[in-house]
Amino acid sequence: MNTPVLNDNLRAATEALCNLLAKEDQVVASKAKIGLFFQNPEATKLFEEVNAYGEELRNKHLAGMPPTEEEISKFDTLRENVVKNDAARGFLEARQTIDELLNTINHYLGMSIDLGRAPTPEEIEEARQRAMSAQSSCSCGGDCNKENCDCDGNCDHDHKDGGCGCGKH
């Protein structure tokens, strides 16, 4: 897939946005938390363990074998250990901050294309509320939103208009 070449105006505006974003206090603080996490072997090990075990349980679930109470309890304990660790918790918070920032910027960009102009903050909030409403109304048999989809394998992860795309709405 070819990346479209930006004209001089778009490139300059994109570079300006990138430079502002890189210097934003939230981004700088988040990067510091992420750096501390990767310098902490205990925190990274806890994070790797919970992710690996979570993936194991997910694969088991997708294979039609629901996890046992013991397995769920073990996963909950692993997750609690991550949250109790300051560096791991800081890493999760930092990732969430950056993800939210990027999602908001992407929302503005996408709506600008749709509207033919920059959206107002009110239009962004209205679109966010619609998307949240659509996420909570998923009837595909699981918890479904753009970041997580637990639709028992029936979801194509399309997530158009905030829904999951499973066709069961």
Side-chain angles (χ1 to χ4, degrees), residues 9-162:
N9 290 336
L10 284 176
R11 186 183 42 70
T14 302
E15 287 175 2
L17 175 61
C18 291
N19 285 324
L20 284 171
L21 185 61
K23 294 174 184 158
E24 176 63 33
D25 289 344
Q26 291 176 314
V27 172
V28 172
S30 293
K31 284 178 59 181
K33 287 180 182 180
I34 291 168
L36 289 173
F37 168 76
F38 282 112
Q39 293 173 11
N40 186 318
E42 179 188 349
T44 55
K45 184 175 186 263
L46 287 170
F47 197 76
E48 289 169 3
E49 286 175 0
V50 76
N51 281 336
Y53 196 66
E55 186 65 24
E56 184 181 321
L57 292 182
R58 180 173 172 75
N59 289 337
K60 182 178 177 181
H61 175 73
L62 292 174
M65 299 179 294
T68 65
E69 288 297 321
E70 182 179 303
E71 290 170 324
I72 292 170
S73 178
K74 178 181 176 182
F75 179 76
D76 288 342
T77 299
L78 288 170
R79 189 173 51 202
E80 287 172 23
N81 290 340
V82 167
V83 173
K84 287 179 186 175
N85 182 286
D86 289 340
R89 187 177 58 255
F91 172 74
L92 292 172
E93 291 167 354
R95 278 191 16 186
Q96 181 177 356
T97 297
I98 290 173
D99 286 348
E100 288 172 357
L101 207 65
L102 292 175
N103 285 338
T104 299
I105 290 168
N106 281 329
H107 226 103
Y108 270 88
L109 293 173
M111 286 185 71
S112 296
I113 291 168
D114 291 345
L115 296 170
R117 61 173 172 76
T120 65
E122 293 79 16
E123 289 170 323
I124 291 290
E125 181 59 24
E126 183 181 312
R128 190 183 71 74
Q129 291 294 330
R130 276 195 315 270
M132 288 178 65
S133 175
Q135 289 172 4
S136 64
S137 65
C138 184
S139 59
C140 57
D143 178 28
C144 184
N145 59 45
K146 287 187 180 188
E147 285 73 39
N148 286 312
C149 187
D150 180 22
C151 296
D152 299 323
N154 296 319
C155 182
D156 65 3
H157 296 280
D158 189 46
H159 297 104
K160 290 181 181 169
D161 300 320

